[in-house]
């Protein structure tokens, strides 16, 4: 698959502005993912079920596949997704513990 068209920047100010604009677009998607995690916590209920190893591997594999489709280093994508999953799993566990009281 061909790499998506990506702009070249002439200054760090342009790069920083582009990163800020991307963050504006990413945060609502992260919020959607957080909502899904909250729903998983509600449905599972038990903090011991927050970590599902086979699902972590499935999502990491999918991240690598998506990286290949988007001209991103698969190792970078997998590392980012694993870090994100680790944090969301911890968040899910905290939500379930709070719900239990």
């Amino acid at each position: 698959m061909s790499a998506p068209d990506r702009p070249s920047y002439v200054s760090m100010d342009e790069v920083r502005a582009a990163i800020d604009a991307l963050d504006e677009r990413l945060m609502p998607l992260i919020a959607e993912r957080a909502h899904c995690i909250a729903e998983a916590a509600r449905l599972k209920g038990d903090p011991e079920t927050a970590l599902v190893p086979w699902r972590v591997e499935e999502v990491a594999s999918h991240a690598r596949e998506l990286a290949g489709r988007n001209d991103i280093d698969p190792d970078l994508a997998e590392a980012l997704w694993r870090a994100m999953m680790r944090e969301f799993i911890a968040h899910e566990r905290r939500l379930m513990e709070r719900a239990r009281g």
Side-chain angles (χ1 to χ4, degrees):
M1 179 171 270
S2 65
D5 289 334
R6 295 194 176 114
S8 293
Y9 302 101
V10 296
S11 72
M12 282 306 302
D13 286 341
E14 284 185 353
V15 171
R16 289 179 181 124
I19 289 170
D20 291 346
L22 287 167
D23 289 347
E24 291 284 335
R25 292 170 41 205
L26 283 169
M27 195 55 68
L29 295 173
I30 292 170
E32 279 187 56
R33 198 176 201 287
H35 173 72
C36 290
I37 297 303
E39 286 295 291
R42 182 180 62 79
L43 292 168
K44 290 179 184 177
D46 181 359
E48 295 303 312
T49 64
L51 174 61
V52 180
W54 67 264
R55 179 62 178 151
V56 169
E57 295 310 312
E58 183 177 75
V59 173
S61 177
H62 189 235
R64 292 186 72 84
E65 178 188 325
L66 291 171
R69 288 193 241 155
N70 288 279
D71 193 33
I72 301 169
D73 177 352
D75 292 336
L76 173 62
E78 181 179 351
L80 290 169
W81 254 252
R82 285 186 184 277
M84 180 175 60
M85 287 187 286
R86 185 174 49 252
E87 294 304 318
F88 273 122
I89 290 164
H91 178 65
E92 180 180 355
R93 185 173 281 121
R94 285 189 302 272
L95 290 173
M96 288 188 275
E97 288 168 351
R98 279 188 217 136
R100 277 190 158 178

